[in-house]
Amino acid sequence: MKNVPDADFLIFDLGNVIVDIDYRKSLELIKKELPENHHDKTEQFYLTDFHKKYEKGEINSTTFRNEVREFFQQDWNNEKIDELWNSLLNNIPPERIELISKLKEKYTLGILSNTNEIHIEAVYKMLHKDFELKNFDSLFHHVFLSHEMGLSKPSPEIYLSMLDQLGAKPERVVFFDDLEANVKGAASIGIQAVHVTGPHVIFDYLKNV
């Protein structure tokens, strides 16, 4: 008998699970816009309090952009900030969309992502351009986004909130994420958590579905 996931729910992170992203590319582009004495700031950017607050929806996009300008001490306009901020987004491989469509016939599917308003709007533009889809609603039964939930991975609270909204027991959920901390966070409350270390992982795990 073929191995298939013993679960009812399959939940996917976005970055490097559904959407290819490259943090280094984004940081290098930001660095090119900065004087050399500010280059060290790029390495701290994703660790800043305002970035964390933005991912949890605690500040809006206007405040976030102002914080970016202040942090880098640059008078960038909104379009420039969004361009640099979104430069980490690469593409959505068609084979992943095909896989999701196939899985939807047998499982309840969801997204659980640490993201923000600017990024998710850019992702939806990619979806529309490449697949003529307005958003993820036609692909997934549930979409859980950190900035809408007021929570972020890897805190146990975000997984518990997701389970509550799914009406699911943790052992009936398989969760795919590219960051080890997020995988451990999900596993700590009993979710079947899979570390996506490369583009082949989800296909290998789900090859017999």
Side-chain angles (χ1 to χ4, degrees):
M1 184 176 175
K2 292 182 177 178
N3 253 347
V4 296
D6 182 20
D8 303 308
F9 302 84
L10 303 180
I11 308 297
F12 300 83
D13 178 31
L14 280 180
N16 285 330
V17 178
I18 302 298
V19 182
D20 281 339
I21 63 173
D22 186 347
Y23 289 104
R24 182 52 50 188
K25 171 188 167 188
S26 182
L27 293 177
E28 288 302 319
L29 284 174
I30 292 171
K31 195 176 286 187
K32 288 179 181 178
E33 299 290 332
L34 295 172
E36 192 170 342
N37 64 331
H38 285 350
H39 282 189
D40 60 326
K41 289 179 176 287
T42 60
E43 302 302 326
Q44 301 301 315
F45 181 41
Y46 290 109
L47 302 175
T48 57
D49 285 342
F50 69 85
H51 173 252
K52 294 173 183 176
K53 287 180 179 179
Y54 190 43
E55 283 203 330
K56 289 196 285 186
E58 294 175 0
I59 60 172
N60 62 23
S61 296
T62 297
T63 301
F64 171 75
R65 293 184 184 107
N66 288 335
E67 292 281 3
V68 170
R69 280 185 272 264
E70 184 175 344
F71 179 74
F72 288 115
Q73 296 176 37
Q74 299 296 308
D75 190 25
W76 293 329
N77 62 28
N78 290 349
E79 290 74 20
K80 186 65 175 180
I81 291 171
D82 291 1
E83 176 190 341
L84 292 170
W85 183 229
N86 287 330
S87 62
L88 86 167
L89 301 168
N90 285 339
N91 68 315
I92 304 172
E95 58 269 24
R96 293 182 193 159
I97 299 299
E98 291 169 12
L99 176 65
I100 294 302
S101 298
K102 177 184 173 185
L103 294 170
K104 195 175 182 184
E105 298 172 8
K106 299 182 180 180
Y107 297 93
T108 298
L109 304 183
I111 285 170
L112 178 64
S113 177
N114 282 357
T115 189
N116 55 80
E117 184 180 54
I118 295 173
H119 277 166
I120 202 65
E121 287 179 359
V123 168
Y124 287 159
K125 286 179 182 177
M126 291 167 57
L127 268 179
H128 185 263
K129 175 178 175 288
D130 296 339
F131 304 101
E132 297 184 351
L133 296 173
K134 182 180 178 181
N135 51 39
F136 286 116
D137 290 351
S138 62
L139 293 171
F140 296 89
H141 300 95
H142 301 272
V143 179
F144 302 103
L145 306 177
S146 62
H147 69 291
E148 294 179 349
M149 299 174 75
L151 300 165
S152 63
K153 298 177 291 186
S155 72
E157 289 78 13
I158 194 168
Y159 304 105
L160 292 169
S161 176
M162 177 191 72
L163 291 174
D164 182 57
Q165 293 180 65
L166 290 173
K169 295 180 179 179
E171 63 270 17
R172 302 306 300 166
V173 177
V174 179
F175 172 61
F176 302 88
D177 199 292
D178 69 317
L179 296 182
E180 186 177 9
N182 296 340
V183 172
K184 287 181 176 178
S188 72
I189 61 165
I191 291 172
Q192 300 182 59
V194 179
H195 191 190
V196 179
T197 55
H200 62 284
V201 172
I202 59 173
F203 292 96
D204 287 350
Y205 191 91
L206 298 163
K207 64 184 176 182
N208 292 325
V209 173

